[in-house]
Amino acid sequence: MIAVVGAGLMGAATAWQLARRGHEVTLIEAYDIAHRHGSSHGSSRIFRRAYADPFYVRLTGQAHEQWRELEDDSSTPLLRTTGGIDMGEDRAPEAIAGLLAAVGVPHELLGPEAASERWPYIRITGPVLHHPDAGVVDADETVVACVRRAIEHGAEAIIGVRVTGIDVRGGERVLLHTDDGREIVADTVVIAAGSWLPELELPVALPPLRVTQQQVFHFRQRDPSVKWPTLVWDGALHLYGLPSGSDGGPLPAVKVAEHDRGTPTTARTRNGVVDPSSRTRVSGFVRDRLPGLEPDPVAEATCLYTTTPDEDFVLDRHGPLVIVSPCSGHGAKFAPLIGAMAADLATGRTEPHPRFRLDRAG
């Protein structure tokens, strides 16, 4: 039996991938499905292919295929294509365009005048990279769909129960202890605990993991009929934006947030209070650069990042334990692919990728 600890995006996707392959799976989640205590909640996460790293550009293509497989299997639309733009004085859209061209990803480079004509509700003063395959992933619906289909494929789901101990017996089997007194024996355990990973006291050395509380803000569109693209801005501020979905309220809104400047915390001690200095910076950016939005947020929330020093994922096997996958603030778009890769490790089909190994930092 393969146990999966954690039913966020990565754990839920792993359970779905394993169960649909016919494996015996037990999924264990400390909270409700699609809860808001970690990193995997909400109606809007960016899917994009514009990376300044050819490795991740290639992975986004594989992830796109896995998203469509998940949508087909669950009969649920999860990835909505909107197109995406990259800009800002530090973004280097020309260099990213070269990487996209190398693997055949559709894209175009536009000067500021042409880009301003296409997106008049954004104040554009430099070159812009547009790639039409970008879009928005509904994280809540993805978790729900993965868990539902895992159960329908035969998995057992234990919800509202926390794993409190993980004992490896003889290097081959694992005994899981839970807060309701259960003892669950598994041949392999996939640990997809997100920001709780540093607190589990695993019998394996982890890379340094930095947990931060991030804040996101939703701004109402001045024109509800406008179809906004996703956007990435790198300059004095490092921000991203995308259509909000239901998180922004009943009227169309756009989610805008800083990718950096999170507050160090832990999964247990985060306070969920939005940093007012972030609200000030993001609202100022909206006022300056996104005139198509009202500059005062209509909704706001916090979530957690768990970041490795190199911002690569963790996907590795140590004995009967598979560790998945502090995602450094950019993992959501890869969720069904990470689930497939974790399932491959759990069943011995593949070796871990060198960039995702636990010991890659030496």
Side-chain angles (χ1 to χ4, degrees), residues 33-64:
I33 298 303
H35 64 81
R36 295 186 171 262
H37 301 284
S39 307
S40 299
H41 58 82
S43 62
S44 54
R45 292 289 188 277
I46 283 183
F47 178 87
R48 61 185 175 89
R49 303 206 61 190
Y51 270 84
D53 183 334
F55 174 69
Y56 282 105
V57 174
R58 290 190 295 270
L59 281 188
T60 59
Q62 298 172 39
H64 190 273

Side-chain angles (χ1 to χ4, degrees), residues 129-330:
L129 170 72
H130 172 246
H131 69 296
D133 292 342
V136 179
V137 170
D138 190 317
D140 284 344
E141 288 294 332
T142 298
V143 171
V144 170
C146 284
V147 173
R148 172 176 60 82
R149 287 302 289 151
I151 293 170
E152 290 170 352
H153 284 301
E156 177 186 5
I158 303 174
I159 308 303
V161 174
R162 183 179 298 278
V163 171
T164 56
I166 300 174
D167 297 329
V168 177
R169 299 294 178 89
E172 295 182 354
R173 306 197 83 190
V174 184
L175 179 64
L176 300 177
H177 304 273
T178 66
D179 61 359
D180 66 348
R182 304 187 204 202
E183 293 187 343
I184 301 169
V185 178
D187 300 294
T188 303
V189 176
V190 178
I191 301 168
S195 300
W196 283 267
L197 183 58
E199 305 177 27
L200 287 179
E201 299 182 354
L202 299 176
V204 56
L206 299 172
L209 301 176
R210 183 172 184 262
V211 178
T212 55
Q213 180 173 274
Q214 309 290 135
Q215 27 276 316
V216 301
F217 306 93
H218 301 271
F219 300 88
R220 188 158 294 157
Q221 296 181 198
R222 295 184 188 273
D223 181 350
S225 68
V226 168
K227 305 300 182 184
W228 277 71
T230 70
L231 62 94
V232 172
W233 174 278
D234 280 343
L237 297 176
H238 301 277
L239 303 103
Y240 61 91
L242 66 161
S244 297
S246 60
D247 289 348
L251 298 177
V254 173
K255 170 180 165 182
V256 186
E258 294 179 295
H259 181 63
D260 54 359
R261 303 202 199 196
T263 303
T265 186
T266 72
R268 292 185 185 275
T269 61
R270 57 87 63 88
N271 60 20
V273 177
V274 168
D275 177 0
S277 68
S278 182
R279 183 190 303 115
T280 298
R281 288 189 297 271
V282 174
S283 293
F285 177 84
V286 169
R287 187 174 288 106
D288 179 41
R289 288 285 177 176
L290 306 179
L293 302 177
E294 299 284 350
D296 296 319
V298 294
E300 57 189 27
T302 65
C303 67
L304 296 176
Y305 277 8
T306 308
T307 306
T308 61
D310 58 13
E311 297 190 0
D312 281 341
F313 307 150
V314 174
L315 277 166
D316 200 355
R317 180 160 186 154
H318 180 84
L321 304 180
V322 176
I323 314 299
V324 186
S325 96
C327 286
S328 300
H330 68 116

Side-chain angles (χ1 to χ4, degrees), residues 7-87:
L9 276 170
M10 308 311 163
T14 302
W16 165 67
Q17 294 279 15
L18 286 166
R20 74 173 182 146
R21 297 179 189 181
H23 297 285
E24 181 184 359
V25 179
T26 298
L27 176 64
I28 308 166
E29 168 54 51
Y31 297 101
D32 294 331
I33 298 303
H35 64 81
R36 295 186 171 262
H37 301 284
S39 307
S40 299
H41 58 82
S43 62
S44 54
R45 292 289 188 277
I46 283 183
F47 178 87
R48 61 185 175 89
R49 303 206 61 190
Y51 270 84
D53 183 334
F55 174 69
Y56 282 105
V57 174
R58 290 190 295 270
L59 281 188
T60 59
Q62 298 172 39
H64 190 273
E65 295 174 0
Q66 291 291 332
W67 278 110
R68 296 314 184 199
E69 284 195 29
L70 174 57
E71 289 180 320
D72 288 344
D73 186 67
S74 64
S75 299
T76 306
L78 300 169
L79 169 58
R80 178 165 60 92
T81 301
T82 62
I85 58 177
D86 288 64
M87 55 188 175

